[in-house]
Amino acid sequence: LYNIFSKEELTLLIGGKAYGLACLYSLGFKVPLTFVVPTNVNITQNALNVLDKNIKYSVRSSCIVEDGEKYSFAGMFESYLDVSYKDLLCNINKVKNSVNSERVKNYLLKNKLKNGEMAVVINEYKEVTASGVWFGTGVNEGIYEYVNDVGEKLVSGELTSIAVEFKENDSILLEGINIGKTFINIQKSLGSICDLEWAIIDKELVLL
């Protein structure tokens, strides 16, 4: 679908976060095993039968106004990590309903945005050894911040992050990986600076 529809058309179906994952995947970068509940779909337990019942999942928001070029909505919607198969439907519905929270309504009103429809991203969940965010400050440079735990603890302020300034030819390693080089390669592939959420899982950099 990513290769067929325009960004605007596809975002209306799968939301901003799912669109970003599709983009990264199409460019050959590592993303988790991912499923998407499209907007305007009230999913049933039967529909979840295609999923592996023996692994854990992350259930994450993918609103059509989320992760855009101007507004990220970072921390506005609900996300749930380490979710068992039996708890998936309940958590999917909680994520969908988070679009109606007071803080989201106030943010939409403040920025004069229309209330968006909510898609839901379901990722395979694995334990991380580090996770964080990348903020591009130029096509060839940026800053990544990370914690040696799940990224939710960074976003919520529960843990203090470590910040690293990175330029194209730097050789700074995290757990033996030059993750900054990958972030620069993503920006070059896109032709613009970007913000990214990421984790190191099984000794690999995974884009979230």
Side-chain angles (χ1 to χ4, degrees):
L1 292 176
Y2 176 79
N3 292 316
I4 297 171
F5 292 105
S6 69
K7 179 179 180 179
E8 291 73 20
E9 290 173 312
L10 191 53
T11 301
L12 289 174
L13 177 66
I14 64 173
K17 187 176 277 97
Y19 180 87
L21 287 167
C23 176
L24 291 168
Y25 181 76
S26 74
L27 293 171
F29 296 104
K30 178 79 173 180
V31 302
L33 175 65
T34 300
F35 302 87
V36 183
V37 180
T39 56
N40 297 313
V41 172
N42 293 317
I43 199 165
T44 65
Q45 188 64 47
N46 286 340
L48 298 175
N49 286 338
V50 297
L51 303 183
D52 188 336
K53 298 177 176 62
N54 300 309
I55 66 174
K56 295 295 186 70
Y57 296 93
S58 299
V59 183
R60 309 167 68 209
S61 64
S62 187
C63 190
I64 64 172
V65 293
E66 185 177 4
D67 289 352
E69 294 176 3
K70 292 183 178 180
Y71 305 100
S72 71
F73 284 79
M76 287 283 174
F77 303 115
E78 297 296 330
S79 293
Y80 298 95
L81 308 179
D82 200 11
V83 177
S84 65
Y85 174 83
K86 67 180 179 63
D87 294 326
L88 268 177
L89 185 60
C90 173
N91 285 282
I92 289 169
N93 288 330
K94 286 194 287 186
V95 169
K96 287 176 72 71
N97 290 334
S98 67
V99 75
N100 299 313
S101 71
E102 283 302 314
R103 63 180 176 178
V104 171
K105 289 178 181 177
N106 290 335
Y107 188 81
L108 289 166
L109 183 63
K110 179 180 178 181
N111 292 289
K112 300 179 181 178
L113 298 171
K114 292 182 179 179
N115 191 8
E117 299 294 335
M118 178 69 80
V120 179
V121 167
I122 303 170
N123 297 133
E124 180 181 8
Y125 175 82
K126 292 184 178 180
E127 294 294 331
V128 309
T129 50
S131 56
V133 290
W134 161 268
F135 303 106
T137 55
V139 174
N140 299 315
E141 61 185 11
I143 298 169
Y144 63 83
E145 296 187 25
Y146 70 94
V147 294
N148 294 311
D149 208 318
V150 294
E152 293 295 316
K153 294 185 179 180
L154 184 157
V155 175
S156 68
E158 185 177 339
L159 293 177
T160 302
S161 63
I162 300 166
V164 177
E165 293 188 32
F166 191 91
K167 295 185 178 180
E168 184 173 13
N169 296 319
D170 288 347
S171 56
I172 304 166
L173 303 181
L174 178 62
E175 298 189 16
I177 308 170
N178 188 340
I179 64 172
K181 184 177 180 180
T182 298
F183 301 143
I184 296 295
N185 288 341
I186 291 170
Q187 294 191 150
K188 285 186 171 182
S189 297
L190 295 173
S192 64
I193 64 173
C194 56
D195 298 342
L196 299 163
E197 186 179 353
W198 56 270
I200 294 179
I201 302 171
D202 296 335
K203 299 181 180 180
E204 281 190 292
L205 175 63
V206 179
L207 284 307
L208 304 174

